[in-house]
Amino acid sequence: MTILWLKALHIFFMVAWFAGIFYLPRLFVYHAETDQQAVRDQFKVMERRLWLFVTPFALLTLVFGLALIYTYGYAWFAASTWLHIKVVLVAVLYGYHFYLWSLVKQFAADNITHSSRYFRILNEAPVLILLAVVLLAVVKFI
């Protein structure tokens, strides 16, 4: 029963985290496209608050994921090649998450050199990683 609770919480916090990961770069797109300072200032507030709001979800996703690995045990972890790949992909997502923070700070300083097109592409990048992570976790084909 404990494993089911850990899985449920892990999935819940992952979904909440991804809501922010998908929305924040979309805010960047709109921020990069505006010329009005009042609108830019509003985006700065929204971006900072969103990143700070979803970061605890990112941390809780990690906590419950590690709790699952611990509960299943070392032998299971060692034998789960799919999980090793998933862990690498998730590490990339955490790198992405903190890259978004660096962009929040750049926007806050009005120091953005990327176009809205760059942020559109950035907005869609985690979708492919999410697909791979879900397939690995559900199908366990490797």
Side-chain angles (χ1 to χ4, degrees):
M1 188 65 162
T2 300
I3 286 180
L4 295 178
W5 280 102
L6 291 174
K7 283 183 185 180
L9 291 169
H10 178 65
I11 292 168
F12 171 78
F13 288 117
M14 182 273 304
V15 169
W17 176 33
F18 263 86
I21 278 186
F22 289 148
Y23 188 51
L24 186 55
R26 180 54 49 185
L27 289 176
F28 294 160
V29 170
Y30 301 140
H31 191 156
E33 290 178 344
T34 189
D35 293 329
Q36 299 175 17
Q37 189 60 45
V39 175
R40 285 184 186 153
D41 291 342
Q42 185 61 44
F43 277 124
K44 290 175 188 181
V45 171
M46 293 169 65
E47 292 157 358
R48 184 175 188 280
R49 286 182 179 172
L50 179 60
W51 193 89
L52 292 173
F53 179 73
V54 299
T55 296
F57 300 144
L59 296 173
L60 289 167
T61 299
L62 179 63
V63 166
F64 286 106
L66 291 173
L68 278 166
I69 291 170
Y70 178 80
T71 302
Y72 275 108
Y74 178 78
W76 171 81
F77 178 75
S80 300
T81 304
W82 67 270
L83 184 56
H84 301 162
I85 297 167
K86 178 187 170 192
V87 166
V88 169
L89 292 173
V90 169
V92 169
L93 288 170
Y94 280 97
Y96 178 84
H97 180 85
F98 286 100
Y99 176 62
L100 293 179
W101 176 244
S102 74
L103 292 172
V104 167
K105 292 191 298 186
Q106 289 176 30
F107 271 111
D110 292 320
N111 191 23
I112 284 296
T113 57
H114 299 295
S115 68
S116 63
R117 183 170 188 256
Y118 173 83
F119 295 114
R120 287 180 197 281
I121 294 167
L122 186 70
N123 181 228
E124 297 177 14
V127 172
L128 299 175
I129 296 174
L130 177 62
L131 175 63
V133 166
V134 169
L135 289 176
L136 286 166
V138 173
V139 180
K140 298 174 178 57
F141 56 84
I142 295 176

